[in-house]
Amino acid sequence: MPDLLLVGAGHSHLHLIAHARALTTAGYRVRVLAPRFFDYSGLASATAAGSVPADAGRIDVRALAQRHDVELVEDTLSGLDLRGRCATTTGGSRLAYDVVSLNIGSVAAAPGMEVGDGVLRVKPLSDLAALAARLAATPDAGLSVVGGGSTGIELAAHLSVRAGVGTVRLLESGPEIGAGLPPRARRRLVRLLDRRGVEVCVDAPVRSVGARQVGLDDGRTLGHDIALLATGLAAPRLVSEVGIGDVDGIPVTASLQHVDEPDTYAVGDCAHFTPQPLPRIGVHGVRQGSVLLASLLARAAGQPLPTYTPQGRALAVLDLGDGVGLAVRGRLWWYGGAALRLKRWIDRRWLARYR
């Protein structure tokens, strides 16, 4: 039986674990190398800010693997020998494989920015999870959120209505927050944040961010108690260290295989989809799961491999705390409680598949 090693338990690999019977029937021996728990990014801002319980978006990967008779190695990847087809874990184990797939997420990147100790990053989510404890230990904390994209806006909005939080500042290097959103939706967000007392600083490129202050390119320094880095996302450093990609990710073709190594697959945020640029959003990781499964089954049967075709538009819903959200699809958008209820329904339905 060919050994199939799934590294990481992201959206796509959770789908494969849940359909492991089809893979074993096709002849694979399936193993997963991942931590025990997976935290769902769709609820990350709400859980980090304390708006919902800390385990609201948590999936027990061990329980899921046991339910589907899949061997789980509770560890993380530290090295990958593509020629010898062997993965090394942080704990020192060596796992041989015939086919490997990587679904190891992304990290908050800060190119050209000096980031000091004590700064929390929105990804990996294990870092963001420390926010609740920091807030509990720092009454009336002043916070700086660096990055005015969707995640930064969500965090600033949530924190602005959390009891015990002092001031919230949102810093964006460009001329506006929420770049890519419809103009009227951006203006609606600005009014909301202003009403909640969030200090929004645009045209404010950050040179350095530390545990106690942010340094701007124009020489100003702004103080805070807690800093959150919500800038753009990049592939984990491990991708470059093991020589299978770079900061942009693991380069894959439309069939989700490494451009030079057909026995290596990559999906989700850690992948660099070479046919066209893809934003690092969860919808691609979710949709790539079914294509990855079909590809592995076709491979075992000696059939042509399917390809991933990204959808043109995807629904995105920002959770803004205090019972409201902003839903956007293309140029259409709506704000209010119904948008957040829709998001919660989508989140619960997805999580229920793996619980």
Side-chain angles (χ1 to χ4, degrees), residues 10 30 55 99 108 166 231 244 276 312 330 333:
V30 183
D55 62 352
V99 183
T231 48
I244 56 173
Q276 69 179 79
W333 65 278

Side-chain angles (χ1 to χ4, degrees), residues 170-194:
L170 179 62
L171 296 135
E172 166 56 39
S173 61
E176 57 195 13
I177 63 170
L181 296 174
R184 291 181 61 190
R186 289 199 302 270
R187 292 194 289 271
R188 185 68 182 83
L189 289 172
V190 170
R191 292 199 303 272
L192 172 72
L193 295 174
D194 180 65

Side-chain angles (χ1 to χ4, degrees), residues 74-319:
E74 290 184 39
D75 207 335
T76 55
L77 183 72
S78 64
L80 193 65
D81 179 0
L82 298 181
R83 295 291 174 264
R85 297 188 185 184
C86 183
T88 305
T89 75
T90 304
S93 298
R94 293 174 60 83
L95 306 175
Y97 66 82
D98 296 294
V99 183
V100 65
S101 177
L102 293 102
N103 190 193
I104 56 176
S106 58
V107 297
M113 188 186 303
E114 181 183 342
V115 181
D117 295 336
V119 176
L120 301 179
R121 298 176 184 252
V122 297
K123 280 194 173 184
L125 295 181
S126 56
D127 199 348
L128 184 58
L131 175 60
R134 293 277 293 274
L135 290 172
T138 316
D140 297 320
L143 292 103
S144 289
V145 181
V146 181
S150 295
T151 302
I153 291 169
E154 280 193 337
L155 284 167
H158 270 283
L159 292 166
S160 68
V161 294
R162 178 185 166 117
V165 169
T167 59
V168 180
R169 178 188 301 117
L170 179 62
L171 296 135
E172 166 56 39
S173 61
E176 57 195 13
I177 63 170
L181 296 174
R184 291 181 61 190
R186 289 199 302 270
R187 292 194 289 271
R188 185 68 182 83
L189 289 172
V190 170
R191 292 199 303 272
L192 172 72
L193 295 174
D194 180 65
R195 189 173 73 246
R196 293 186 181 179
V198 176
E199 179 188 0
V200 177
C201 304
V202 296
D203 290 319
V206 173
R207 181 185 69 255
S208 64
V209 53
R212 288 289 178 260
Q213 68 180 24
V214 168
L216 303 183
D217 279 358
D218 61 10
R220 288 182 295 159
T221 58
L222 305 172
H224 54 244
D225 298 300
I226 301 172
L228 290 163
L229 193 66
T231 48
L233 301 177
R237 185 181 300 174
L238 178 68
V239 168
S240 300
E241 291 175 344
V242 301
I244 56 173
D246 53 26
V247 67
D248 292 329
I250 302 166
V252 297
T253 64
S255 61
L256 306 179
Q257 295 167 293
H258 191 286
V259 292
D260 297 320
E261 302 288 344
D263 295 327
T264 301
Y265 288 78
V267 285
D269 278 4
C270 73
H272 171 206
F273 191 70
T274 58
Q276 69 179 79
L278 294 180
R280 286 187 161 98
I281 54 177
V283 65
H284 294 298
V286 171
R287 293 181 177 273
Q288 285 172 350
S290 58
V291 177
L292 177 60
L293 175 63
S295 182
L296 291 167
L297 296 177
R299 180 191 188 101
Q303 298 173 350
L305 303 186
T307 57
Y308 176 62
T309 303
Q311 64 185 100
R313 295 178 179 178
L315 173 69
V317 186
L318 276 67
D319 181 354

